[in-house]
Amino acid sequence: MSVEVTRLPSGLTVVTDAMPHLETASLGVWVGAGSRDELGDEHGISHLLEHMAFKGTKLRTARQIAEEIEAVGGDLNAATSIETTTYYARVLKADVPLALDVLSDILSNPAFDPEELSREQNVIIQEIGASEDTPDDIVFDHLQRCAFPDQAIGRPVLGTRESVRSINANRLRQYLARNYRGPDMVIAASGSVEHGMIVEEAARLFGGFNGAEHHTREPARFGGGTYIERQDLEQAHLALAMEGLPQRHPQLFSLQVFTNILGGGMSSRLFQEVREIRGLCYSISSFHIAYSDTGFFGIYAGTDDNDAPELVQVVVDQLERAVTSITEEEVARAKAQMKASLLMALESSSARAEQIARQIMVHGRPLPLPEIVAKIEGVTAESTQAAGLALLARSRLAIAGLGPGRGVERAAEIVENFARAAA
């Protein structure tokens, strides 16, 4: 592998993976801070800061930021999650220095102009409204809140209308200074890149991000519980969650295989039984998100309100069966899917940049491909069933449902009864 890593005196890590056959490069700044790092009166500030980074600096207006990147055919974007915030660009290889300069400028010198701030707060409020109008989106906010009640990790990334409106420029600067520090930041680049040049530019442009590593997160506490809301919808939207595993847990790969077997694709047990055999929904899926100290295992489906109880009963039955009846054939299929996903990321410069950045943030080093493949290959039917059994035993279930009638309420009762029986 062509991965190179350099840690700067500020603690910031530069990691690159050269793909000489490409004419483009993907690069970005990954910050180990997200909505989980917000104080009680900062709800939504991580996402607002991400938006405001593009709204002008001491050197560039918002328009100039957009025009400089697009004038060379590149694109610039960002994303906020629960534990990370990312600012990234994709450009032609000759324009990598420009992309680094722009990324540095928007993070080092944000203007936080009051008029721009007011406009962007309104934009985010529109985004919140759009989310509330999308039931298969907002149901996950309710599920996250049930899973982690009264904690920053359980709050929606977007914030609320009131919290977003309450944030001013001074609070944005305070949050930026507290959380954007060299030891918590990674510059990752992949594609047609030269490691030495990126290190040199990063040292020059990002030297101001220094200070001690900042980790004062409240430990996650999985709660569980039920949230049901009657809404005038065409479908009932149901989401279930259980406490999963953190990013470095030795059983993580086995749990991921369990997740894939249960609802990870068209050949999964849930898809086959719920859609193909019973025709209860268009799609159904399971997923697992690993955080630094906990995990979030979930299942989602949308269905007719009258079919919601039957669908949930099938889900419960399939969960119970999966922990005792997984076959080596199913495990082999799930492992093949995982390996294919891993290898496909090596063919995309943007996916590869994200992959190596997250490996640095989680493991402190890039993981060699053979090491990851060996961990996947080490999963067996026995370890997969053990991961499933541990999942069911670990915590209460959380369920969130939105629907037009009584069906979603009956579905929730089935889940609650299952949880009590499993306790």
Side-chain angles (χ1 to χ4, degrees):
M1 293 175 65
S2 53
V3 180
E4 295 183 74
V5 181
T6 299
R7 186 175 294 273
L8 301 179
S10 66
L12 186 149
T13 301
V14 178
V15 57
T16 65
D17 189 2
M19 299 177 172
H21 61 286
L22 298 183
E23 294 295 322
T24 62
S26 297
L27 65 156
V29 182
W30 276 258
V31 183
S35 62
R36 188 176 177 183
D37 300 280
E38 298 167 352
L39 303 179
D41 61 350
E42 292 179 334
H43 188 192
I45 197 171
S46 307
H47 181 247
L48 177 58
L49 174 61
E50 173 231 304
H51 276 237
M52 287 303 299
F54 296 93
K55 295 304 171 183
T57 73
K58 297 173 183 177
L59 303 177
R60 295 174 171 93
T61 65
R63 186 180 185 115
Q64 286 172 329
I65 291 170
E67 287 181 343
E68 283 194 43
I69 290 293
E70 292 185 359
V72 297
D75 59 79
L76 187 68
N77 214 328
T80 305
S81 69
I82 287 174
E83 292 191 332
T84 61
T85 307
T86 310
Y87 304 82
Y88 52 92
R90 187 174 185 190
V91 293
L92 299 177
K93 61 182 180 181
D95 300 310
V96 168
L98 171 65
L100 282 169
D101 186 67
V102 171
L103 288 169
S104 167
D105 190 27
I106 65 176
L107 297 180
S108 303
N109 307 301
F112 297 145
D113 177 78
E115 291 186 5
E116 289 282 5
L117 176 56
S118 179
R119 277 193 291 268
E120 208 57 30
Q121 285 169 324
N122 192 60
V123 168
I124 292 175
I125 286 169
Q126 300 306 314
E127 190 176 355
I128 292 170
S131 177
E132 291 173 345
D133 284 341
T134 312
D136 55 346
D137 184 359
I138 199 69
V139 71
F140 287 102
D141 285 346
H142 297 307
L143 184 67
Q144 190 89 12
R145 193 179 296 110
C146 280
F148 301 103
D150 303 316
Q151 302 163 72
I153 191 174
R155 297 194 306 235
V157 171
L158 298 182
T160 66
R161 292 171 176 82
E162 295 76 18
S163 67
V164 171
R165 283 290 188 203
S166 72
I167 298 168
N168 57 32
N170 186 52
R171 291 169 71 188
L172 284 167
R173 292 189 183 95
Q174 290 173 348
Y175 176 87
L176 179 65
R178 189 176 80 238
N179 291 289
Y180 283 49
R181 296 165 175 256
D184 296 317
M185 299 172 67
V186 175
I187 293 177
S190 185
S192 185
V193 296
E194 181 185 340
H195 183 77
M197 182 274 289
I198 292 180
V199 169
E200 182 178 338
E201 289 295 292
R204 180 176 67 86
L205 295 169
F206 291 86
F209 293 98
N210 48 33
E213 189 174 8
H214 180 70
H215 281 302
T216 57
R217 286 172 178 157
E218 174 188 16
R221 306 178 311 278
F222 194 95
T226 301
Y227 178 89
I228 298 298
E229 183 178 331
R230 288 275 190 102
Q231 288 192 10
D232 185 16
L233 303 171
E234 291 297 321
Q235 280 193 314
H237 296 267
L238 296 159
L240 285 72
M242 288 178 279
E243 184 178 7
L245 296 175
Q247 293 161 338
R248 301 181 66 177
H249 196 283
Q251 208 176 35
L252 181 61
F253 283 88
S254 293
L255 180 57
Q256 188 58 58
V257 168
F258 178 85
T259 303
N260 288 356
I261 289 171
L262 187 67
M266 292 176 63
S267 64
S268 68
R269 292 188 174 200
L270 286 177
F271 191 94
Q272 286 295 312
E273 183 67 27
V274 176
R275 172 175 163 154
E276 298 296 273
I277 295 175
R278 300 179 184 240
L280 294 174
C281 67
Y282 176 72
S283 66
I284 184 169
S285 60
S286 60
F287 59 90
H288 180 264
I289 303 170
Y291 299 121
S292 57
D293 64 341
T294 188
F296 188 75
F297 171 91
I299 299 170
Y300 165 78
T303 187
D304 185 273
D305 188 72
N306 292 327
D307 291 330
E310 182 183 355
L311 183 147
V312 166
Q313 185 62 60
V314 174
V315 168
V316 166
D317 292 344
Q318 289 298 321
L319 270 170
E320 290 184 314
R321 291 172 187 167
V323 298
T324 59
S325 64
I326 282 176
T327 66
E328 292 289 358
E329 181 182 7
E330 289 177 308
V331 170
R333 187 162 56 239
K335 293 197 296 188
Q337 291 173 334
M338 292 170 67
K339 287 186 289 186
S341 177
L342 176 67
L343 294 170
M344 288 175 185
L346 301 179
E347 300 177 359
S348 163
S349 63
S350 56
R352 182 58 176 153
E354 179 174 5
Q355 189 181 72
I356 56 178
R358 296 196 182 280
Q359 288 173 353
I360 294 289
M361 297 183 82
V362 173
H363 301 281
R365 64 185 178 91
L367 300 183
L369 181 62
E371 180 180 338
I372 304 174
V373 171
K375 289 182 178 181
I376 296 172
E377 289 292 0
V379 177
T380 64
E382 290 76 16
S383 71
T384 303
Q385 289 183 180
L389 283 166
L391 175 71
L392 292 183
R394 202 159 21 242
S395 68
R396 296 177 59 199
L397 275 83
I399 179 169
L402 306 174
R406 178 81 175 91
V408 70
E409 296 168 0
R410 295 200 304 272
E413 292 168 3
I414 293 170
V415 173
E416 291 166 353
N417 290 336
F418 171 69
R420 281 193 291 269

